[in-house]
Amino acid sequence: MSVSPPLPLLKRVPPGLWTALVWCAAAVSPVVEYVLMPPRAGYSLSYPRDGLEPLGARLLLLLAFGLVLAGCALLRRRTTLAYALVVAGTVVSTLAWRQDEIPPLQFLGVSVALGHVAAGRPRRTSLAAAGGTLAVLACYPVLRWVPGPDSGTAPEPFVALTLAVAWLVGHSVHQARAHTEELYARAAAQAVTAERLRIAREMHDTVAHSIGIIALQAGAAARIVDSRPEAAKEAMRTVERTGRETLSGLRRLLGALRQADQDRDPGQERDRARQPGPGWSALRPAAGLADLDRLAATTTAAGVSVEVRWRGTPRPLPAEIDLAAFRIVQEAVTNVVRHSGAGSCRVSVEHREDELAVEVRDRGSGGAAGTETGYGLAGMRERAALLGGDFRAGPCPGGGFLVTARLPLPVDAHTETETRATAG
């Protein structure tokens, strides 16, 4: 139930905005300094006072601003096209001033955009973008003859060096992100394996319990078949019900495991199962929701009051659903103790017509399931998904955190309770 902390302000600024700020600052600065300000003794060959006097030059400068701002707006969604617009706008701005060289300051905006391309796109795409920009730099000496004669030495090599540095920085960021994603994927796979092994062990305990019931009832039936035939028949009926229910539970679990392997979403693998805390693992072997009172008492002793509410008419629950519901509540309550800062929480269990609904709500600060590297949500989500259920978790609008799970009940769920009653 992790709630990621807000990103720093600098990281929340879109890359297109950074590019627009750098480019516009470099484009507006010469207009203010060499056109709007009073004449000074010094002058600039790159930005002459009469550079923008022709109407065509002003239209070109407006076109340059339009191209660059459009590219900055599209930089996150259509990176390649946006970068091309930024480069084109930069070239048009130099033509507007009738410059015979590309000002390195004006090309800083292109460098910022290239860094974003290298950080967020594959290496082949970013290299193509960098190569295209270098080609523009190489071809610009030809474009310089369009507005007027050549009168200076172009600093294209220096601009190319700044582009190379920008690409290297962006590519380093890209590699760091890829490495982080790989680490998350490995941790997620290991967490899923650990969670499934834990579920398998618990299912093993359930099956072992059922097999024990079958053995006891079969032995009792064999001993009393002659003296008490009716009791022997009832014992064999118990054996049949227990065996059918156990096989049904195993089929549901194995079928769900196979389906989960086929439909698994890699984007959700970061939220994989985390082992419950030391204070709660001692509750094994768990009978299921019948252990909620013991869990509430243990949590209250730890300093967080737990209120348990039961709704609806109690329904017979198969062992795997009963155990999954308890584990979901157990993990959610554990997270309340560890991370929410709340002094109390409320657990609601509702028996509906065709499903079991559980809810855990607290009024704490909203954090749960540890930090970004924790996997508290995944264990609960995995259990609900394996049984074909639905799981949701998130902050409440009025404060606190809410965990809900809906577990569908099979049609023959009542046989489990009958089996337990007979075994008792």
Side-chain angles (χ1 to χ4, degrees):
M1 296 172 0
S2 60
V3 178
S4 302
L7 292 174
L9 177 60
L10 294 181
K11 291 186 178 181
R12 279 183 283 169
V13 177
L17 182 56
W18 283 122
T19 303
L21 290 175
V22 174
W23 194 93
C24 291
V28 172
S29 177
V31 177
V32 174
E33 183 176 359
Y34 298 109
V35 177
L36 300 181
M37 297 293 291
R40 297 181 301 177
Y43 63 94
S44 172
L45 292 177
S46 298
Y47 300 100
R49 297 194 63 85
D50 59 348
L52 294 180
E53 288 185 1
L55 179 60
R58 298 180 184 181
L59 292 178
L60 283 177
L61 187 60
L62 289 177
L63 176 62
F65 272 94
L67 291 174
V68 172
L69 293 179
C72 293
L74 297 174
L75 193 57
R76 176 168 289 178
R77 292 173 295 171
R78 303 185 63 180
T79 306
T80 305
L81 174 62
Y83 180 74
L85 291 176
V86 173
V87 175
T90 304
V91 174
V92 171
S93 69
T94 60
L95 296 177
W97 281 100
R98 294 177 291 174
Q99 293 169 310
D100 55 7
E101 63 183 25
I102 296 180
L105 184 62
Q106 190 65 63
F107 232 77
L108 285 180
V110 177
S111 299
V112 173
L114 180 60
H116 172 70
V117 173
R121 304 292 295 174
R123 180 186 300 179
R124 180 178 299 179
T125 302
S126 62
L127 283 176
T133 309
L134 294 177
V136 170
L137 291 176
C139 295
Y140 187 75
V142 178
L143 296 177
R144 288 186 307 199
W145 289 93
V146 175
D150 186 10
S151 61
T153 303
E156 277 82 3
F158 173 75
V159 177
L161 179 61
T162 61
L163 288 173
V165 172
W167 184 89
L168 290 174
V169 173
H171 185 62
S172 299
V173 174
H174 179 80
Q175 287 183 315
R177 290 176 179 174
H179 181 64
T180 302
E181 292 290 338
E182 183 180 357
L183 293 180
Y184 272 125
R186 291 180 182 177
Q190 294 174 357
V192 169
T193 302
E195 176 65 18
R196 292 191 172 191
L197 288 176
R198 187 157 67 104
I199 294 174
R201 287 194 297 268
E202 292 173 346
M203 195 63 191
H204 168 268
D205 295 341
T206 302
V207 173
H209 176 69
S210 300
I211 296 299
I213 292 176
I214 292 174
L216 290 175
Q217 295 291 344
R223 288 192 297 269
I224 62 176
V225 64
D226 296 326
S227 59
R228 299 172 57 191
E230 291 300 325
K233 290 181 181 180
E234 184 61 29
M236 294 309 297
R237 293 191 188 98
T238 301
V239 170
E240 180 184 8
R241 286 193 297 267
T242 304
R244 290 182 182 275
E245 180 62 28
T246 303
L247 288 176
S248 177
L250 285 175
R251 290 192 189 101
R252 286 194 297 269
L253 179 63
L254 294 177
L257 283 171
R258 293 192 184 102
Q259 187 65 28
D261 284 335
Q262 297 173 2
D263 301 339
R264 186 169 306 282
D265 182 5
Q268 297 179 351
E269 295 300 325
R270 294 184 180 185
D271 241 357
R272 299 295 9 139
R274 184 191 60 190
Q275 295 290 342
W280 320 121
S281 59
L283 289 176
R284 297 187 184 205
L289 293 176
D291 269 348
L292 278 185
D293 291 337
R294 184 148 55 104
L295 174 64
T298 304
T299 308
T300 301
V304 177
S305 176
V306 177
E307 177 188 1
V308 181
R309 294 184 179 180
W310 300 88
R311 299 174 180 174
T313 304
R315 293 283 307 277
L317 298 176
E320 68 273 15
I321 294 179
D322 195 18
L323 181 59
F326 174 77
R327 292 301 186 198
I328 290 173
V329 173
Q330 182 186 48
E331 179 68 20
V333 171
T334 300
N335 294 332
V336 172
V337 175
R338 289 182 171 178
H339 309 293
S340 72
S344 64
C345 69
R346 185 180 66 205
V347 178
S348 299
V349 180
E350 181 177 359
H351 291 266
R352 300 174 181 172
E353 183 177 356
D354 57 350
E355 66 182 11
L356 176 72
V358 297
E359 176 184 297
V360 180
R361 181 190 297 268
D362 67 71
R363 293 294 181 182
S365 58
T371 62
E372 292 182 357
T373 58
Y375 304 102
L377 284 175
M380 294 181 276
R381 182 179 293 112
E382 183 79 8
R383 289 182 180 276
L386 289 177
L387 297 173
D390 179 67
F391 175 83
R392 297 178 184 274
C396 300
F401 206 89
L402 175 65
V403 174
T404 60
R406 296 186 297 105
L407 305 177
L409 297 176
V411 178
D412 58 346
H414 67 279
T415 58
E416 175 67 15
T417 297
E418 295 179 2
T419 301
R420 292 180 180 177
T422 305

